[in-house]
Amino acid sequence: QETPPDAGIGAVVELCPDVPPVDLFTFLGGTPATNGTWSPATMLGGGTFDPSQDPSGTYTYVVPGSAVCPDASASISVTVGASPFVDVLVTDATCHGISDGSVVLSSPGGGPVTTTWDDGAEGLHRTGLAAGSYTAMVTSPMGCVSVVNAVVEEPTALEAGTSVISAICEGASGQ
């Protein structure tokens, strides 16, 4: 009696566009045979999926059967997410040396995001900022990341100066 071919167990996979190519075979559950083929073919071939080149969709792994046993197949449903789109609104400090600048981030249409700043702060809104550069990592629900840089500027410092006004008084000789 022949052992039927085993294509493994299908799965659902979500990938970010900036991850390196992955072997779809690693996502199959069970104990799939290694002599199968993928359909449709991936750009790199052999079931190696490149999120920057291959489209989202269903990729089917087929292990050939025999005269007695039919082919076996398992499908991987791949979704390539997007890094979050982020709008940045910067309000500069009003005076030199005053910490009243702000940075407001928004991610329209991408669902809830998590934001972590380079100084450990969290959230989309930062206020009370001094002049300087601020970096935030904005993470989508799928785990895709966008890095945002914002620069809060300030006016140049005012310099105190002196001026001399010569006065000529009545009766004095002026030359």
Side-chain angles (χ1 to χ4, degrees), residues 71-156:
D71 294 351
S73 65
S75 295
I76 303 287
S77 176
V78 181
T79 301
V80 178
S83 296
F85 175 78
V86 181
D87 284 328
V88 181
L89 174 64
V90 175
T91 302
D92 293 330
T94 55
C95 295
H96 184 82
I98 302 296
S99 297
D100 65 351
S102 67
V103 177
V104 177
L105 305 179
S106 62
S107 183
V113 294
T114 304
T115 305
T116 305
W117 295 84
D118 53 355
D119 62 359
E122 295 183 354
L124 293 169
H125 302 87
R126 296 292 306 271
T127 58
L129 300 176
S133 180
Y134 298 87
T135 301
M137 287 183 39
V138 181
T139 307
S140 73
M142 221 172 148
C144 302
V145 175
S146 289
V147 176
V148 178
N149 294 306
V151 177
V152 175
E153 296 183 352
E154 66 184 353
T156 55

Side-chain angles (χ1 to χ4, degrees), residues 2-31:
E2 277 193 50
T3 304
D6 186 355
I9 300 167
V12 174
V13 178
E14 295 178 341
L15 300 171
C16 296
D18 55 352
V19 299
V22 295
D23 184 355
L24 293 176
F25 188 82
T26 62
F27 297 108
L28 292 170
T31 53

